[in-house]
Amino acid sequence: MFMPGKQAVTMTDAAASQIAKLMAKDGHQGLRIGVKKGGCAGMEYTMEYVDEVDPHDEVVEQGPARVMIAPMAQMFLFGTQIDYEVSLLESGFKFNNPNVTEACGCGESIKFKDT
């Protein structure tokens, strides 16, 4: 589904560092990212710890950080940059996704062109 030699998603150094910390904390194999129906704009990102890699997942590695993309989410996440931001009030992963056409005001849910 993806172009040969091109990763499905990329990670900033901050995101890769945080993912590596989360993996090391409890010995997880990585983080699986996906999308599901929900939220006011129609879709939401999901993230979960992975202890076993699914052979259908797209695996993206950057140093010790490993992200798996759930099969149903691959077409929605292609070209996405994962970042990790820390501010005075909150910290968390941010998805810079070129496939998103709308986002709700709170930034928790998104809409894609064909959903």
Side-chain angles (χ1 to χ4, degrees), residues 43-98:
M43 302 286 276
E44 297 176 319
Y45 292 111
T46 63
M47 291 186 88
E48 63 183 351
Y49 291 112
V50 174
D51 292 321
E52 189 173 314
V53 179
D54 184 311
H56 297 104
D57 285 347
E58 179 75 18
V59 179
V60 177
E61 296 178 308
Q62 183 172 318
R66 183 181 301 122
V67 170
M68 291 74 148
I69 304 171
M72 303 253 324
Q74 292 175 4
M75 68 180 172
F76 296 110
L77 296 174
F78 188 73
T80 297
Q81 179 193 59
I82 304 168
D83 193 10
Y84 187 78
E85 296 179 357
V86 178
S87 71
L88 186 59
L89 298 175
E90 65 181 359
S91 62
F93 290 100
K94 303 291 182 193
F95 295 85
N96 300 311
N97 187 335

Side-chain angles (χ1 to χ4, degrees), residues 40-43 45 99-105 109-113:
C40 51
M43 302 286 276
Y45 292 111
N99 305 304
V100 171
T101 58
E102 292 179 37
C104 68
S109 70
I110 50 178
K111 183 176 182 179
F112 298 100
K113 185 176 184 180

